[in-house]
Amino acid sequence: QVQLVDTGGGLVQAGGSLRLSCAASARTFSSYSMGWFRQTPGTEREFVAAFRWIDGSTYYADSVKGRFTISRDNAKNTLYLQMNSLKPEDTAVYYCAARSWTTAQDMGVMTPDYWGQGTQVTVSS
């Protein structure tokens, strides 16, 4: 069983930055990929970025490539999403997610096993 707690959302002006954190609890993460998804009202949850724990490989949605960086702190079992050059269209509830035995790239097309509770990010124009 994996528990995920998302924090770090807030209100920021366009062009600004935020860092999201996902504190994870599990016996071991070596078999997991973790990632971030986002959702706006009336739309499906959208893949943002993923990180494969065992080798550090990453994968990004085209819409955030070059602006967002996903990383981890192994000692703290924490996943981060550094979001720079934020745009109003980045406004959404952001969810941390985890799936076992999955590559970072496959996190973009497969349903995660576990979800965080979500954190709101609002970018004003």
Side-chain angles (χ1 to χ4, degrees), residues 7-125:
T7 57
L11 173 64
V12 64
Q13 288 188 331
S17 299
L18 279 176
R19 189 177 78 160
L20 306 183
S21 299
C22 175
S25 63
R27 287 186 296 175
T28 176
F29 286 102
S30 60
S31 65
Y32 282 86
S33 282
M34 295 180 66
W36 293 94
F37 292 70
R38 64 188 182 186
Q39 189 172 25
T40 55
T43 68
E44 292 189 356
R45 207 163 286 190
E46 173 192 30
F47 170 78
V48 175
F51 187 103
R52 191 178 184 204
W53 212 264
I54 195 169
D55 61 9
S57 57
T58 59
Y59 185 67
Y60 295 91
D62 287 344
S63 58
V64 306
K65 206 172 291 184
R67 300 187 298 123
F68 291 11
T69 303
I70 191 170
S71 64
R72 69 171 175 198
D73 183 326
N74 218 18
K76 296 181 180 179
N77 280 354
T78 299
L79 184 76
Y80 300 102
L81 184 68
Q82 178 66 43
M83 305 185 293
N84 299 328
S85 302
L86 282 161
K87 305 174 181 180
E89 51 264 43
D90 294 318
T91 295
V93 178
Y94 283 70
Y95 296 90
C96 179
R99 183 181 170 98
S100 59
W101 307 110
T102 302
T103 66
Q105 188 167 353
D106 282 347
M107 282 288 283
V109 295
M110 301 178 78
T111 302
D113 298 323
Y114 304 99
W115 293 98
Q117 82 283 2
T119 184
Q120 176 72 47
V121 171
T122 303
V123 184
S124 63
S125 57

